[in-house]
């Protein structure tokens, strides 16, 4: 795992550095020795920055990237699970999140200035969960109607690929 202590050891520093100084030295070190950092090493400059992670199961997590390893396993601190429904969203506080690398579909840095100007409205957790449940019920009803129509035509019904995986 790469964290602030490992970075100090990597840089060979005997004195404590501020987080910004350590990241600046590390960036200079990597940028001067190579223009491309292979694999998860390219995520080292993102440590302690606010990131968004989209997982394979569809969840969206926001928080500060705490550490990474060679398998792209992530530790995200101050994590919020963000749920989008239509033009609205709600944030559920989750704390520290450890994510296995194979479950990450997308990981990116969040521009906090642009995040505040998005044309979506923040609502309460209870409100977004109710809207999500309502949307899920509507989608389930549509899926049942499609499968019923397929069976009436002697065709195989569609199978939920997420449930099939487990």
């Amino acid at each position: 795992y790469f964290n602030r202590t490992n970075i100090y050891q990597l840089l060979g520093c005997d004195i404590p550095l501020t987080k910004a100084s350590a990241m600046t030295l590390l960036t200079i070190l990597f940028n001067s020795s190579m223009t491309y950092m292979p694999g998860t090493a390219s995520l080292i400059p993102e440590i302690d920055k606010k990131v968004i992670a989209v997982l394979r199961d569809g969840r969206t997590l926001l928080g500060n990237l705490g550490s990474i390893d060679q398998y792209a396993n992530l530790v995200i601190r101050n994590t919020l699970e963000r749920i989008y429904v239509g033009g609205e969203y709600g944030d559920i506080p989750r704390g520290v999140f450890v994510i296995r690398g194979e479950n990450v579909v997308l990981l990116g840095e969040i521009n906090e200035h642009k995040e505040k100007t998005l044309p979506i409205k923040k609502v309460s957790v209870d409100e977004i969960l109710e809207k999500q449940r309502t949307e899920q019920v509507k989608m389930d009803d549509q899926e049942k109607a499609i499968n019923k129509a397929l069976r009436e035509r002697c065709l195989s019904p569609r199978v939920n690929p997420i449930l099939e995986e487990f």
Side-chain angles (χ1 to χ4, degrees), residues 57-127:
D57 63 1
R59 288 185 289 174
T60 303
L61 303 174
L62 288 83
N64 298 320
L65 183 62
S67 66
I68 57 171
D69 68 5
Q70 70 271 25
Y71 303 107
N73 296 323
L74 308 172
V75 175
I76 300 180
R77 295 178 281 112
N78 305 322
T79 306
L80 298 172
E81 181 177 353
R82 183 164 284 182
I83 299 173
Y84 297 95
V85 178
E88 299 176 332
Y89 74 92
D91 291 335
I92 303 171
R94 297 291 188 197
V96 176
F97 228 84
V98 178
I99 305 168
R100 187 174 169 103
E102 67 182 23
N103 292 318
V104 178
V105 174
L106 173 104
L107 179 73
E109 184 181 353
I110 293 179
N111 183 330
E112 294 187 41
H113 301 293
K114 287 185 179 180
E115 182 184 25
K116 294 174 184 172
T117 62
L118 291 175
I120 54 178
K121 177 183 163 192
K122 183 174 183 173
V123 296
S124 71
V125 173
D126 294 332
E127 193 175 337

Side-chain angles (χ1 to χ4, degrees), residues 7 15 37 75 141 149 163:
I7 291 169
I15 58 170
M37 292 184 286
V75 175
D141 290 343
L163 295 177

Side-chain angles (χ1 to χ4, degrees), residues 56-57 143 147 157-166:
R56 198 166 58 165
D57 63 1
E143 189 66 26
N147 283 337
R158 296 194 299 191
V159 179
N160 186 340
I162 293 175
L163 295 177
E164 282 294 308
E165 188 173 310
F166 301 105

